[in-house]
Amino acid sequence: MIVFNDLNHDLLEPSRDVLMAPTTFAATLEAHGLYSTKQFVLRLSPRVHELVDALASGDFGSHEPADLIQAYSTYIHETVHWWQHVGSTAGLIFSLCYPAQFSSSLEHLQNAIAEIGPKKSLKRWADDALRHGTAPSPKALAEANIAVNNALDVEFYKFFAHSPNRSSELRQNQHFESVGHSYRIAYSNTLMALVQSCDLASDSLPDAERWQAEFDRLMLTRHEGFYHGSPITRGDVGLHAIFEGQARFIQLQFLAASGGPSTCAAYAAGGYLSGIYVDAFTEFLRLSESEWPETIDSPIVGLFLLICDLSINPTRGFPLDIERFEDFISDVDAGARFALLCQAAREHPEVKQAIQAYSFEEYAFVSRVLADRCGYDDPLVALQAVIALSETAAGQALMAQWASFEYATGNLPIRVMTSHFMDFCRSKLTHPHFFCWLAERWPWAARLRCRRGSSCATCRSSPTAPTRSKSLRARSRVARGQRSSVCSIPLWHRQFFTI
């Protein structure tokens, strides 16, 4: 059996800017792994590539087993980031914001350019024209302002969802209206882009145009969070901290299950539980009034990962309609959900020790207790809604493109991401505990610990992951062409990972 305690930073540390899409890409020689939210690309350093490829080919003799496992843990860390963006509702909305910014502004940009010619930056031109009254016509200024404001409102949503602790910077921007307004525009424009790009029936998703009157009511009655100058109520962590905390603890649980250190103290001493990678966990401990666990597979860690999963999977606005508009921010903002779910865990201390086997039954029980206390939907309800959407005529046509990986070219990123999201929901509905507690359910952990590999009878008989159909496996073979998507895991897994 492989046992190791010396951890190598050169193999474990991913990029520090996973959520921020870089403007240029080298060979990621300094970042050992990163996921870009704008290009939808996962990258690994050449060294990690080499080790993961060796592991995939069964070349155990040329490398230290501990190095192979640590490199693979980085691969898992970055795969979790891909899953977060393609397999959670918050991640999907965040990912589709970029193409939605383009689609919602295109017509207004074209109209503005027809009036004033190409301007860069259009925002600066519109600000100056409004200030000095130099616009050639009211129409030109109106079209420019709509294009600029649509893009900025979506960007404000991304900024707040990503890092709510920097919300004071939003208040200093003259274009910022309110958190509720930014979230409404982001959801409305993304839903519109999704429906149009995927040729979905207009009644298959919530009607964002119907929301307008309700949000206007909240603004006129000066409901907190929905009018200009409103106080901003926020949590201390957002998507960035939640995503990184979830990925890091899954990575460390995988290392522990594969022969690495088992104590939190060992990982903390090595610097792997610091900064953004532990911010969400320390906030979870504070709000739930819990103590630091001794081991990385503690029930407390399992509870934290479940709360992360529930936090990044809001149900209202998408795929379900908004029921109570006053609660829209706390219903869909990952940071707000995280805080409320942690407080619910404090009020229900029985859930702190409920996760022992990391099973489906434990996932269902704890998620139901926490969701009921917060007034949230059962997470499985949203998965069922997405699956129902995939079974409509338009959904079936989209999933046929997914199965063959031959997509219509119109708005390709939206079609690819949405179809992968639908497939992810199908798998998660039957195995939510696997996707929540990946490392504890990982089918290869026992095999990685064993030096004999495939020659070991125990490894050959160890549990495997959920089986997939032939058509899904065929699609995976078509899809795995990119070098950045390392062929190192079973086909059933790779389909979630490779685009």
Side-chain angles (χ1 to χ4, degrees), residues 75-97:
Y75 174 56
I76 290 176
H77 182 116
E78 300 307 332
T79 299
V80 169
H81 283 317
W82 162 239
W83 284 6
Q84 288 163 341
H85 288 83
V86 79
S88 75
T89 48
L92 183 71
I93 295 294
F94 195 95
S95 296
L96 296 186
C97 276

Side-chain angles (χ1 to χ4, degrees), residues 64-346:
E64 285 294 324
D67 288 349
L68 294 172
I69 292 171
Q70 291 179 71
Y72 203 78
S73 78
T74 293
Y75 174 56
I76 290 176
H77 182 116
E78 300 307 332
T79 299
V80 169
H81 283 317
W82 162 239
W83 284 6
Q84 288 163 341
H85 288 83
V86 79
S88 75
T89 48
L92 183 71
I93 295 294
F94 195 95
S95 296
L96 296 186
C97 276
Y98 185 56
Q101 282 174 303
F102 172 80
S103 61
S104 65
S105 299
L106 179 59
E107 181 180 353
H108 302 290
L109 283 171
Q110 291 172 331
N111 292 339
I113 291 172
E115 291 279 331
I116 64 175
K119 301 292 182 183
K120 191 174 181 180
S121 89
L122 185 62
K123 174 180 176 296
R124 184 169 56 248
W125 178 89
D127 288 344
D128 290 342
L130 181 63
R131 186 180 303 113
H132 302 298
T134 56
S137 69
K139 178 185 177 182
L141 183 58
E143 294 288 356
N145 276 331
I146 293 172
V148 169
N149 288 332
N150 275 345
L152 287 178
D153 286 332
V154 173
E155 203 62 37
F156 293 148
Y157 154 77
K158 292 169 62 180
F159 187 91
F160 186 83
H162 179 273
S163 303
N165 56 329
R166 296 176 58 189
S167 60
S168 60
E169 298 176 40
L170 291 176
R171 298 287 297 272
Q172 299 169 15
N173 191 300
Q174 63 175 340
H175 294 276
F176 176 69
E177 180 71 17
S178 67
V179 172
H181 176 77
S182 298
Y183 273 57
R184 176 181 73 84
I185 296 298
Y187 265 73
S188 298
N189 289 352
T190 301
L191 280 176
M192 186 180 302
L194 196 156
V195 169
Q196 294 175 350
S197 301
C198 300
D199 302 318
L200 300 174
S202 58
D203 60 353
S204 61
L205 285 174
D207 181 5
E209 292 186 358
R210 186 187 65 81
W211 299 347
Q212 181 69 50
E214 291 293 333
F215 283 110
D216 285 347
R217 174 180 62 82
L218 295 177
M219 180 186 66
L220 293 173
T221 58
R222 296 179 67 80
H223 190 87
E224 183 175 317
F226 294 90
Y227 65 91
H228 182 72
S230 168
I232 297 178
T233 301
R234 62 169 181 83
D236 287 335
V237 299
L239 279 178
H240 190 193
I242 296 170
F243 279 175
E244 289 295 2
Q246 185 182 37
R248 174 49 56 92
F249 274 87
I250 287 175
Q251 177 186 16
L252 298 185
Q253 283 193 337
F254 171 79
L255 286 172
S258 303
S262 61
T263 66
C264 291
Y267 292 110
Y272 300 105
L273 291 176
S274 61
I276 193 64
Y277 300 107
V278 78
D279 285 348
F281 188 70
T282 54
E283 181 69 358
F284 156 75
L285 295 178
R286 184 183 73 85
L287 292 175
S288 66
E289 296 183 356
S290 304
E291 299 296 328
W292 261 94
E294 180 178 346
T295 60
I296 203 70
D297 62 351
S298 162
I300 283 292
V301 177
L303 177 60
F304 166 71
L305 292 174
L306 176 54
I307 286 179
C308 288
D309 184 67
L310 297 178
S311 299
I312 65 176
N313 280 288
T315 57
R316 294 295 158 177
F318 173 79
L320 307 178
D321 207 348
I322 304 172
E323 284 191 334
R324 179 175 162 82
F325 286 82
E326 288 83 352
D327 296 333
F328 179 60
I329 299 173
S330 60
D331 276 348
V332 303
D333 178 66
R337 290 173 63 87
F338 183 84
L340 292 173
L341 289 163
C342 290
Q343 292 168 3
R346 181 190 65 212

Side-chain angles (χ1 to χ4, degrees), residues 361-417:
E361 292 74 18
E362 291 170 348
Y363 179 96
F365 167 71
V366 177
S367 62
R368 184 170 59 251
V369 169
L370 298 180
D372 286 349
R373 177 63 186 88
C374 295
Y376 294 147
D377 299 301
D378 186 302
L380 301 185
V381 173
L383 296 175
Q384 292 167 344
V386 175
I387 293 171
L389 179 64
S390 73
E391 293 172 348
T392 64
Q396 289 177 348
L398 179 62
M399 294 312 293
Q401 295 178 30
W402 170 88
S404 65
F405 210 72
E406 296 177 357
Y407 288 90
T409 55
N411 288 335
L412 179 64
I414 296 177
R415 302 175 73 86
V416 170
M417 293 294 287

